Amino acid sequence: MCGILAVLGCSDDSQAKRVRVLELSRRLKHRGPDWSGLHQHGDCYLAHQRLAIIDPASGDQPLFNEDKSVVVTVNGEIYNHEELRKSLPNHKFRTGSDCDVIAHLYEEYGEDFVDMLDGIFSFVLLDTRDNSFIVARDAIGVTSLYIGWGLDGSVWISSEMKGLNDDCEHFECFPPGHLYSSKERGFRRWYNPPWFSEAIPSVPYDPLALRHAFEKAVIKRLMTDVPFGVLLSGGLDSSLVASITARYLAGTKAAKQWGAKLHSFCVGLEGSPDLKAAKEVADYIGTVHHEFHFTVQDGIDAIEDVIYHVETYDVTTIRASTPMFLMSRKIKSLGVKMVISGEGSDEIFGGYLYFHKAPNKEEFHEETCRKIKALHQYDCLRANKSTSAWGLEARVPFLDKEFISVAMSIDPEYKMIKQEEGRIEKWVLRRAFDDEEKPYLPKHILYRQKEQFSDGVGYSWIDGLKAHAAKHVTDKMMLNATRIFPHNTPTTKEAYYYRMIFERFFPQNSARLTVPGGASIACSTAKAVEWDASWSSNLDPSGRAALGVHASAYDNQAAAVKNIEPEKIIPKFEGNPLGVAILG
């Protein structure tokens, strides 16, 4: 991931302003340590911090069209850039960068070309002929982006909040799947898939169609001119990504450059569930596996850095970002610059354990839609910024535009969790890759119960965080929480602790408004908390809070459950090798 910063129409073309823009751009240097660039046209500035993945030798930014009248600064990867180049035979490209197509597409199609891009991206394009500009962000918000406004009438764009928070009167998250046009002085949504309306789809489940769509999504992400690997937690999603990558790597350009042996990476506390499962998967698919250990104290010591880089006070995100942040540093130290990861599957397929309680297929589907729309504030934020903190890029094939279209068109009746039929969470995905002749994964991995990343790295990680927060946040402090933090008031000492750190780095009101809030159980939206009356008194984002669903549900809460009839406990059933008992 690169870092972009643009200041547009600031009515100041002085050297002092240029120096200030350079100073702010340097706050993003961790995202792109390979090169820095700044283009100034009058009172418009486009800055770039480059992480070179494609065409490291000549792809420095900003990028231009033939006569340099169109200027672009981009953070992203355009997977179909070669096809797009072929569709533009009358254009001369200055570099081999995948992002070089953007300026030329604008020349051909004006502002209506964004949907032609297959990839992840945030970009600012300046047309110097009339000083107009457009800004766009990818469909789901895999790349991070913020927009701000100055008192002088300027518009600011930055990959991270820290690039603009000190100089804008107001700023906010740039909405995913949207384009901002200076001519219209407003946003419009360029990404309009059928699922966005939350209408209930009716396409029958086709396992092979789903399998082929996901394989295609993984394969296109093997586009790289630098060393890469896969993040492997040993759960279903990352294991499928790793298995498909290992299966199709040979013969690719990446394999010719860097060898056909895939490297995999895992992080966890000593003896954690993820470490054991990841090692087994790595041995099965034949990767060169790298296992990183951290202690609870290592994680606690990194919390301030994590909050500064990830720019949130959301409890779930910080819990999961910390091990990913630590692992990314280790991965980068090995010379790797890009990793493929498994984010997005749980949102698309209803993989979180609270989906066991979905009352019907309509509510199941609507919740998946809500979860995908919010990804840019949670898992995409984590995956993007935890890795970018160390100049590492994360690619997420589950959030491929074409794959989402296929997966979200399936009748949600097939996605519903039905224990009596042997269908656990994400059954449609598991079934699609349950190949007896050429297995992708061992059966018990293919049917391993969902572990949230912050749980899977070791249960004592979350317990340690809570204990640490309890030492630093007193009961007296919690009494005044509503007065001190009226917006998204922290309700636990852990949340209060994170909020204090966040406010120290980002004290502006606009900053606190960029972080989502509301009730949640095991990562649910506030709406899904209504599915079970008991959840409203047990609001914890850990998967273990899904009482009666997770095999390691909190012991003290499990002990508190009363009046459960023995026949309501569903025994081990065929098709679930874990034999997880589910409370009805």
Side-chain angles (χ1 to χ4, degrees), residues 268-454:
L269 301 177
E270 196 79 48
S272 68
D274 280 1
L275 291 179
K276 180 182 176 185
K279 179 68 167 65
E280 186 176 359
V281 173
D283 290 344
Y284 187 83
I285 63 177
T287 65
V288 178
H289 190 58
H290 306 266
E291 187 176 282
F292 304 123
H293 297 177
F294 76 104
T295 66
V296 172
Q297 190 60 53
D298 290 334
I300 288 170
D301 290 343
I303 288 291
E304 293 209 8
D305 282 343
V306 169
I307 292 173
Y308 173 74
H309 279 287
V310 182
E311 302 180 324
T312 188
Y313 51 82
D314 175 68
V315 170
T316 317
T317 304
I318 294 168
R319 287 176 176 179
S321 293
T322 305
M324 195 170 194
F325 175 86
L326 296 171
M327 175 171 58
S328 296
R329 187 176 193 179
K330 292 277 193 180
I331 293 172
K332 187 60 185 291
S333 73
L334 296 175
V336 171
K337 294 176 75 172
M338 184 272 282
V339 290
I340 307 178
S341 191
E343 281 77 14
S345 171
D346 291 313
E347 287 74 15
I348 294 168
F349 296 106
Y352 292 106
L353 298 182
Y354 72 89
F355 275 94
H356 279 257
K357 301 283 189 175
N360 52 58
K361 74 174 188 178
E362 290 79 15
E363 291 205 40
F364 188 105
H365 180 73
E366 289 164 3
E367 176 71 358
T368 61
C369 293
R370 289 190 293 266
K371 290 291 292 180
I372 296 170
K373 291 175 185 178
L375 265 170
H376 68 287
Q377 296 176 302
Y378 296 101
D379 284 19
C380 287
L381 189 82
R382 165 179 58 77
N384 182 277
K385 293 181 179 177
S386 297
T387 53
S388 293
W390 302 107
L392 182 69
E393 176 178 298
R395 296 182 179 175
V396 284
F398 279 109
L399 298 180
D400 180 82
K401 262 197 313 183
E402 291 179 35
F403 177 71
I404 292 176
S405 293
V406 171
M408 291 301 288
S409 69
I410 299 171
D411 186 334
E413 182 66 32
Y414 294 97
K415 296 181 182 179
M416 289 282 286
I417 298 160
K418 297 185 177 182
Q419 300 98 319
E420 68 278 3
E421 296 178 21
R423 283 164 46 177
I424 61 172
E425 66 275 356
K426 291 188 286 194
W427 174 82
V428 292
L429 182 62
R430 300 175 197 272
R431 178 70 188 85
F433 287 91
D434 195 347
D435 189 324
E436 297 289 346
E437 292 184 9
K438 292 183 67 179
Y440 287 79
L441 295 168
K443 283 274 190 182
H444 63 282
I445 295 290
L446 192 62
Y447 290 93
R448 182 188 179 201
Q449 187 181 45
K450 163 69 183 171
E451 290 281 9
Q452 287 165 212
F453 186 45
S454 53

Side-chain angles (χ1 to χ4, degrees), residues 459-537:
Y459 295 137
S460 58
W461 165 234
I462 291 176
D463 299 335
L465 283 174
K466 290 180 176 181
H468 178 74
K471 292 178 184 177
H472 292 82
V473 179
T474 66
D475 293 342
K476 185 178 180 181
M477 292 163 72
M478 290 299 296
L479 289 174
N480 298 320
T482 54
R483 303 283 186 186
I484 298 171
F485 305 117
H487 176 74
N488 282 348
T489 303
T491 57
T492 66
K493 291 184 177 182
E494 185 186 5
Y496 194 107
Y497 179 68
Y498 300 153
R499 186 65 174 272
M500 287 193 299
I501 298 170
F502 178 88
E503 297 271 346
R504 194 165 75 245
F505 290 131
F506 308 106
Q508 300 87 358
N509 188 54
S510 290
R512 61 184 68 100
L513 294 176
T514 64
V515 181
S520 178
I521 180 77
C523 285
S524 74
T525 66
K527 178 68 177 172
V529 173
E530 299 171 9
W531 291 351
D532 189 314
S534 68
W535 285 348
S536 60
S537 59

